[in-house]
Amino acid sequence: MTGTSFVSGELGRGQGLRLTVESDRVVVFGDGMEADALELTWGQSVRLGVSDTSLRLAV
């Protein structure tokens, strides 16, 4: 048991979320791509929010 009570959700414009690591290791994915992962350790934090601009992917 990790003690995690919030495991998923959706942020709207103007909303934010700050996560502080209270375990040995946490991996954060912004877009589900493993290569873009952030690895955080004890005491580090990450602030999440919705950008004012949209990403447009051209293929």
Side-chain angles (χ1 to χ4, degrees):
M1 181 71 147
T2 64
T4 301
S5 59
F6 187 75
V7 295
S8 67
E10 185 174 327
L11 295 175
R13 292 224 184 269
Q15 294 181 311
L17 177 66
R18 183 181 183 99
L19 303 173
T20 301
V21 179
E22 294 182 359
S23 66
D24 293 334
R25 179 176 172 257
V26 171
V27 178
V28 179
F29 296 92
D31 58 7
M33 299 297 294
E34 187 174 349
D36 295 342
L38 296 173
E39 186 172 327
L40 306 171
T41 59
W42 182 266
Q44 291 183 308
S45 63
V46 62
R47 187 176 61 211
L48 308 170
V50 178
S51 175
D52 290 333
T53 58
S54 298
L55 176 65
R56 291 191 171 85
L57 183 61
V59 289

